[in-house]
Amino acid sequence: LCLSLYAQIGLNITQICLAKECSEDEIVEEVLKLNEDPRVHGVYLHLPPASLTSRVLNTLKPEKDVDGISDLNMGRLVRGDLSKGFVPPIANAVLDLLEKHDTSLEGKTVLLVGGEGSLGVALQCLIERRGMVVFKSHWSSKSLQRQVCLCGGTGVAPPVDLKSWVRPGAAVIRCQPSLETGIVTYTVIVITITLHNVVHNCSRWFQEQQYRPWHLRSLKLQPLTPVPSDIEISRAQTPKPVDQLAAEIGVLPEELEAYGRSKAKVQLSLLDRLHTQPDGKYVLVAGITPTPLGEGKSTVTIGLVQALSAHLKLNSFACLRQPSQGPTFGVKGGAAGGGYAQVIPMEEFNLHLTGDIHAITAANNLVAAAIDARMLHEATQSDKALFNRLVPSVNGVRRFSPIQISRLNRLGINKTDPASLTPQEVSTFVRLDLDPSKITWQRVVDTNDRFLRKITVGQASTEKGMIRETGFDIAVASEIMAILALADSLEDMKNRLARMVVGTSRSGQPITAEDLGVSGALAVLMKDAIKPTMMQTLEGTPVFVHAGPFANIAHGNSSVLADKLALKLVGRNGFVVTEAGFGADIGMEKFFNIKCRASGLRPNVVVLVATVRALKMHGGGRGLNLSLVAGGCRSNLRKQIQIAHLFGVPVVVALNVFNPTIEVKLFNLLSVAFINLYCIFSKSNFLDSVPLTGALMCFHLSVSPSFPQMPIVEKIRTIAQKVYGADDIELSPEAEAKIDYYNQQGYGSLPICMAKTHLSLSHMPDKKGAPTGFTLPIRDVRASIGAGFIFPLVGTMSTMPGLPTRPCFYDIDLDPVTEEITGLF
């Protein structure tokens, strides 16, 4: 009967039968599976009373407890809060029968006989809520007959014939399984109410899937003067539990994977759930050419979202890159912002986070190991031996794996039976025939280690003379990092990983990670890294930290997925503030030419960050000299604004202030001549960022920068001339040969990602301001086919930074008693 009723209203029901002698642990295990299954919207525990232990009941999620017997649901019933929980269907059925028996229940007397447990509690609460008086008695009570006779004509009788005790017209309801005539009516009512609970829960679940308005609780700041160190400010604030933050911004519990108390991965299924939700406003923070210590773009980004959310009560999200261990322990230190605009906890932000960079390192080096191993085996085995090992016989059966079938299809061999391949097809299949001199894939490590820029491998006797030169890149320069930042789904990432070109065969054909048979394993290593990590600012505003490609080597922007998720979460009138690495000539140019192509998103406005310190540097010196600031404004600042205007985007200039009394005065004397719109921004008190948010609200229409198609050389020349200010480019013979090869392979339409110093608009780090009259040297050109761009190496630019004479790690230490970290900022 129950199954039939479920089928009639279109619900699927699965009956899970456990052994009669099953243990409590086995029941709990089954309940936990049902809790985590998003397809299950209701669970009914039809178990013997002895098996309905407190542990079993409290394991079941209250929102799936359609029988209403868990402790939390019973507590809600007693408290009178029925908005979230469920009432036991049997208790509801009793009330339904009582209401049918009498037109008015108020003032009547009810006797509950033997009403122990959750059913008795539920009945008593519901009956009293209808205005009736409730007495309770046990079956063995000597005064049972007297209590029944005293009832006002309404009672609940024991499972024996006590008709002589009950007044004529009184209602007797037996809440116990029975096969007596008339019980079918009671059963149908109970089942109907249970069905109603399931349907109601489905409706509730559907409502939860819709976009939820934010209920963000801001954390209070107590700015001090003088301003304490960044680490002191960070430790003085206690972050909200990450699950609480997620609930405040409409992230469902099943969409969150907590990594401790204060950070969590967010499931990509959120994008599917909110796919109809309009995007919010999209703000890009870039900068002028920075000093070696940066210009404070991360600080401005965080200060902006704090002002928007905590003070203007607008939904806002910051999207930041994950810091690399290289600069953290090398030159720069931590990168969590600064002052009263930081991501917290800053130690977790800067160290390991949720392990994405480690996953990239493992995946990258798996490819490197696969390359050398394959070359060794091909050099030392016959075609037949290779084939027998690549397609082994298991229990007398030889089969191709799916990734091998993909390789066969690319080779034009449309066969699935290993025995059907001809000797020539076997040779073509097993021989990648990589040219050792044309392997482009390098190993990576997330440390600035200049002595790994060029190494020799294969020198052990077991490598049988397979000696070759190779090198290491820093982990965040890996193509896998670029793919992580540009992928828009797990499937897209997997496809990009498969397309990565690791080298060239002796016949001139590109060899991919899929040819190596390793791309599926890479996707497995990266399956968690693709989910953005959620943290918060000092004032409790949400932050996505995801991906960290170097801006002067790769494209220098956080992930497409983080931006897309944030734009859905903030809603139509919210703001997502994302950051582009280094100056507008590097990070911002690549944001438009590479990231915008991949994402299809367009920013509404660019915030260009500058400091008087950097403006004076670009003006030719130091000191509080108005002419130096003017020189910096006329040269570098003006040029960076022009770069933004190349893409048709309005610009707001934010001055990151260190000495407000002097610097603001200097800047105000000059700003009107160079800037359409600007606001002053204070490093010590980020409440001053509120005026900047007002400027952002002036821009509501998104722009659509065009991406003209042209040959590789012309794209490089265009960036060099229009963005950097060069007269022309100079290609080395090696660069010219690589460009010819990429054109032959059909890669000419890919965008350009210049690997250039971030310390100058030119390729010369010591040339400040806006240099002109120079030729940009291109010494090499490489391709990241999986990521989808060509990257020329400009001048002496290296993909593995080195440590300075006095690295940051001199100041970084750990207190073994308190476990507090010092020196990270």
Side-chain angles (χ1 to χ4, degrees):
L1 176 62
C2 183
L3 292 172
S4 175
L5 288 172
Y6 271 96
Q8 288 178 29
I9 61 174
L11 293 177
N12 296 320
I13 181 170
T14 300
Q15 189 173 10
I16 299 174
C17 298
L18 301 178
K20 191 174 183 179
E21 62 277 4
C22 71
S23 66
E24 183 184 62
D25 287 341
E26 290 173 312
I27 297 173
V28 166
E29 184 178 350
E30 290 295 332
V31 172
L32 287 171
K33 290 178 184 176
L34 297 172
N35 281 346
E36 300 307 317
D37 191 339
R39 300 168 298 175
V40 174
H41 300 113
V43 178
Y44 178 80
L45 298 176
H46 189 62
L47 298 170
S51 297
L52 285 172
T53 63
S54 176
R55 182 184 170 208
V56 170
L57 291 176
N58 292 321
T59 297
L60 179 60
K61 282 186 175 180
E63 60 268 26
K64 294 191 177 185
D65 172 28
V66 293
D67 201 26
I69 57 175
S70 66
D71 288 356
L72 183 54
N73 276 333
M74 292 304 301
R76 287 168 173 164
L77 175 60
V78 171
R79 195 177 62 190
D81 178 14
L82 303 181
S83 60
K84 292 184 178 180
F86 293 102
V87 176
I90 294 177
N92 257 336
V94 169
L95 263 293
D96 184 76
L97 290 173
L98 287 175
E99 288 171 344
K100 285 181 171 62
H101 177 74
D102 206 309
T103 55
S104 176
L105 298 177
E106 189 171 354
K108 297 294 191 303
T109 303
V110 174
L111 176 63
L112 294 178
V113 183
E116 291 87 10
S118 58
L119 177 59
V121 173
L123 276 170
Q124 183 175 352
C125 289
L126 292 176
I127 290 170
E128 289 179 343
R129 205 162 287 140
R130 295 296 199 282
M132 292 179 276
V133 179
V134 178
F135 292 103
K136 299 186 72 174
S137 180
H138 296 286
W139 300 115
S140 59
S141 174
K142 294 179 180 180
S143 60
L144 177 59
Q145 182 178 2
R146 182 175 60 84
Q147 288 176 309
V148 172
C149 293
L150 288 174
C151 286
T154 306
V156 178
V160 293
D161 188 6
L162 300 177
K163 293 180 181 179
S164 60
W165 292 1
V166 181
R167 295 181 187 179
V172 179
I173 300 175
R174 184 176 297 169
C175 299
Q176 182 168 332
S178 174
L179 297 177
E180 294 181 13
T181 305
I183 296 300
V184 171
T185 303
Y186 152 74
T187 306
V188 170
I189 293 173
V190 173
I191 293 174
T192 303
I193 294 173
T194 305
L195 289 174
H196 176 270
N197 284 355
V198 175
V199 173
H200 179 66
N201 200 32
C202 290
S203 175
R204 182 187 294 166
W205 174 86
F206 180 77
Q207 290 300 320
E208 288 176 346
Q209 303 306 302
Q210 308 308 303
Y211 178 80
R212 294 183 179 185
W214 284 24
H215 300 284
L216 189 68
R217 179 180 66 86
S218 299
L219 301 177
K220 299 298 181 184
L221 283 180
Q222 295 180 333
L224 301 177
T225 304
V227 179
S229 68
D230 290 342
I231 188 67
E232 289 175 308
I233 293 172
S234 174
R235 288 183 180 151
Q237 186 69 285
T238 301
K240 292 179 284 190
V242 71
D243 56 347
Q244 176 188 326
L245 174 63
E248 291 174 352
I249 64 174
V251 177
L252 303 180
E254 59 266 28
E255 294 169 338
L256 204 69
E257 295 178 10
Y259 281 65
R261 183 181 181 277
S262 52
K263 57 184 183 291
K265 290 283 191 181
V266 174
Q267 295 273 7
L268 303 186
S269 58
L270 188 150
L271 270 179
D272 295 327
R273 178 169 68 85
L274 299 181
H275 73 279
T276 60
Q277 172 68 18
D279 288 346
K281 305 297 185 298
Y282 197 28
V283 179
L284 175 65
V285 175
I288 67 171
T289 302
T291 65
L293 297 178
E295 289 301 276
K297 293 185 300 300
S298 298
T299 306
V300 171
T301 299
I302 298 162
L304 262 177
V305 296
Q306 288 186 168
L308 287 162
S309 288
H311 302 278
L312 299 181
K313 306 306 178 185
L314 296 167
N315 296 352
S316 71
F317 230 111
C319 292
L320 300 175
R321 290 177 294 165
Q322 179 183 350
S324 164
Q325 180 180 310
T328 298
F329 289 93
V331 176
K332 194 175 182 181
Y340 287 103
Q342 295 186 51
V343 178
I344 55 173
M346 58 83 75
E347 298 97 322
E348 295 183 25
F349 179 88
N350 286 295
L351 301 173
H352 306 296
L353 199 60
T354 48
D356 293 356
I357 293 179
H358 300 309
I360 288 164
T361 302
N364 185 100
N365 292 343
L366 178 61
V367 177
I371 291 169
D372 286 310
R374 186 60 175 263
M375 288 196 300
L376 172 68
H377 295 313
E378 287 189 20
T380 56
Q381 297 180 49
S382 66
D383 290 350
K384 182 178 180 180
L386 272 172
F387 188 75
N388 288 339
R389 287 174 171 82
L390 288 171
V391 193
S393 177
V394 180
N395 297 325
V397 179
R398 201 182 296 276
R399 290 191 179 94
F400 290 119
S401 67
I403 200 168
Q404 289 175 327
I405 291 175
S406 295
R407 171 164 167 77
L408 287 167
N409 291 336
R410 288 195 306 278
L411 293 171
I413 304 172
N414 298 315
K415 296 179 180 179
T416 57
D417 180 7
S420 66
L421 267 64
T422 67
Q424 180 58 48
E425 289 172 337
V426 167
S427 180
T428 304
F429 169 70
V430 300
R431 298 282 172 191
L432 299 183
D433 199 26
L434 274 160
D435 185 339
S437 66
K438 294 183 178 178
I439 292 172
T440 56
W441 196 266
Q442 302 210 112
R443 290 163 172 81
V444 299
V445 63
D446 198 35
T447 303
N448 291 355
D449 192 343
R450 68 180 74 243
F451 281 87
L452 292 177
R453 288 171 179 167
K454 182 170 286 190
I455 63 170
T456 303
V457 297
Q459 298 188 80
S461 59
T462 52
E463 272 65 76
K464 301 180 181 180
M466 301 292 292
I467 297 173
R468 70 180 183 91
E469 282 191 349
T470 182
F472 274 77
D473 295 330
I474 193 163
V476 289
S478 169
E479 182 176 355
I480 298 176
M481 173 62 89
I483 286 173
L484 177 67
L486 294 172
D488 64 6
S489 67
L490 185 59
E491 182 179 9
D492 183 36
M493 181 183 72
K494 184 178 177 181
N495 292 335
R496 287 173 179 268
L497 291 170
R499 293 197 301 266
M500 294 189 305
V501 173
V502 302
T504 305
S505 70
R506 287 185 172 87
S507 62
Q509 295 303 308
I511 303 300
T512 66
E514 190 172 36
D515 289 322
L516 280 170
V518 74
S519 56
L522 301 182
V524 170
L525 286 171
M526 294 293 294
K527 71 179 182 65
D528 292 319
I530 195 172
K531 304 164 192 172
T533 300
M534 187 167 71
M535 297 186 76
Q536 63 192 281
T537 70
L538 280 166
E539 293 192 82
T541 302
V543 177
F544 274 143
V545 186
H546 199 214
F550 262 21
N552 51 1
I553 296 173
H555 65 284
N557 290 272
S558 62
S559 76
V560 165
L561 279 169
D563 290 0
K564 286 190 171 183
L565 285 165
L567 285 164
K568 293 298 182 186
L569 284 168
V570 298
R572 186 192 301 273
N573 297 316
F575 289 81
V576 172
V577 185
T578 190
E579 174 194 351
F582 295 132
D585 57 309
I586 300 181
M588 190 199 71
E589 179 268 315
K590 296 173 182 178
F591 176 90
F592 284 111
N593 273 325
I594 297 173
K595 186 176 180 180
C596 285
R597 290 180 195 243
S599 69
L601 301 173
R602 302 290 185 268
N604 298 81
V605 61
V606 168
V607 175
L608 193 66
V609 180
T611 63
V612 168
R613 178 180 62 188
L615 291 172
K616 288 184 291 187
M617 177 186 73
H618 290 297
R622 299 179 179 179
L624 297 176
N625 187 319
L626 186 61
S627 63
L628 294 178
V629 181
C633 287
R634 292 193 185 97
S635 58
N636 197 270
L637 178 59
R638 173 180 280 171
K639 178 62 177 176
Q640 302 288 10
I641 294 172
Q642 290 171 352
I643 293 169
H645 287 163
L646 287 174
F647 299 97
V649 188
V651 178
V652 176
V653 173
L655 183 65
N656 208 349
V657 172
F658 294 87
N659 187 333
T661 303
I662 299 173
E663 295 185 359
V664 171
K665 181 179 179 181
L666 287 172
F667 194 69
N668 281 342
L669 290 171
L670 299 161
S671 59
V672 177
F674 307 109
I675 305 164
N676 296 327
L677 180 63
Y678 73 94
C679 290
I680 303 302
F681 197 75
S682 167
K683 183 173 183 180
S684 61
N685 184 350
F686 284 92
L687 303 184
D688 291 345
S689 62
V690 173
L692 182 55
T693 66
L696 300 186
M697 293 177 200
C698 297
F699 304 102
H700 297 291
L701 300 176
S702 62
V703 297
S704 298
S706 59
F707 304 114
Q709 294 296 325
M710 57 181 70
I712 293 175
V713 172
E714 287 308 308
K715 284 186 283 193
I716 297 173
R717 181 175 284 112
T718 298
I719 293 172
Q721 292 177 334
K722 291 190 175 182
V723 177
Y724 306 153
D727 287 345
D728 203 351
I729 61 173
E730 182 181 13
L731 297 171
S732 70
E734 183 179 7
E736 287 183 330
K738 290 279 190 69
I739 291 172
D740 290 341
Y741 173 73
Y742 296 143
N743 284 326
Q744 291 170 10
Q745 295 300 324
Y747 304 146
S749 62
L750 295 178
I752 301 299
C753 181
M754 303 285 270
K756 181 186 78 72
T757 179
H758 61 286
L759 296 174
S760 172
L761 281 164
S762 71
H763 60 287
M764 301 166 282
D766 58 334
K767 297 295 183 182
K768 306 302 179 184
T772 58
F774 64 93
T775 298
L776 194 73
I778 309 298
R779 66 176 175 86
D780 194 9
V781 179
R782 301 177 186 174
S784 293
I785 304 305
F789 55 71
I790 307 289
F791 64 103
L793 297 178
V794 179
T796 58
M797 187 65 214
S798 172
T799 53
M800 170 56 83
L803 288 172
T805 304
R806 192 186 188 282
C808 291
F809 59 64
Y810 274 81
D811 302 310
I812 298 173
D813 202 357
L814 177 72
D815 187 316
V817 177
T818 65
E819 295 189 6
E820 283 194 347
I821 297 169
T822 57
L824 198 55
F825 266 101

